[in-house]
Amino acid sequence: AIKNEKGYKVLDPHVRVLWGDGIDYESMQVILNTLKAKGWSTDNIAFGSGGGLLQKLHRDTQKCAFKCSYAVGNGEGINVFKDPITDPGKVSKKGKLSLIKKEGGLTTHQDANVHPDDLLVEVFRDGEILKEYKFEDIRTRAAEGL
């Protein structure tokens, strides 16, 4: 094993551990904390989405959902959205989105062009970290309502 830039041991890139049996939120925390305590990077492990994660945690209990709104195929931009005929209330936003702070709240803009006051920042692209944040900075932004 080699050490990454943070000093944690990383297995050969062709080898990873897949753990999928009996995983739930609590056991995952124990596993991740044990890896850290033993000096191993979490890059070495992938968790399967077994019953413990599927039945105990979901986007509604976590109040979080991620949706694709734009893709590039064959060099061409494509708006991606859903518009279910059975539930018009579930129409999703489409295209390139911008998040703007306005009058004490946040507003999402759907536009082909990114808004100059966009709060969204590209953090990852093709497996590369483009922007890193310190935990304290995130806490400060969360306290400010961002």
Side-chain angles (χ1 to χ4, degrees):
I2 61 169
K3 289 193 176 183
N4 65 16
E5 64 277 357
K6 294 184 180 180
Y8 291 98
K9 294 178 275 189
V10 181
L11 295 169
D12 181 282
H14 299 91
V15 179
R16 291 294 179 261
V17 175
L18 173 61
W19 193 330
D21 191 32
I23 296 292
D24 62 20
Y25 179 76
E26 290 80 19
S27 65
M28 188 182 290
Q29 295 302 309
V30 171
I31 294 164
L32 292 171
N33 286 330
T34 301
L35 282 172
K36 183 176 181 180
K38 299 290 184 181
W40 286 95
S41 171
T42 57
D43 286 342
N44 295 304
I45 192 163
F47 294 104
S49 189
L53 290 175
L54 288 173
Q55 296 168 1
K56 295 181 182 178
L57 297 175
H58 49 78
R59 67 182 188 189
D60 294 332
T61 59
Q62 296 300 298
K63 300 190 182 348
C64 179
F66 294 93
K67 309 269 185 201
C68 177
S69 66
Y70 185 80
V72 176
N74 296 324
E76 185 176 325
I78 304 163
N79 289 343
V80 179
F81 65 101
K82 69 177 189 176
D83 187 2
I85 56 175
T86 57
D87 190 349
K90 289 190 173 183
V91 174
S92 65
K93 294 179 168 104
K94 61 183 170 184
K96 291 184 178 180
L97 305 177
S98 296
L99 186 65
I100 311 301
K101 186 172 184 177
K102 206 182 233 186
E103 300 165 11
L106 297 173
T107 306
T108 304
H109 287 260
Q110 300 177 84
D111 194 349
N113 301 311
V114 176
H115 194 281
D117 296 326
D118 191 359
L119 295 173
L120 297 177
V121 175
E122 188 172 11
V123 176
F124 302 100
R125 182 188 300 152
D126 299 329
E128 181 182 345
I129 298 175
L130 303 175
K131 174 80 174 159
E132 290 193 48
Y133 293 95
K134 293 183 179 164
F135 188 60
E136 193 54 43
D137 295 337
I138 295 169
R139 279 190 161 164
T140 300
R141 288 177 48 208
E144 293 171 353
L146 294 177

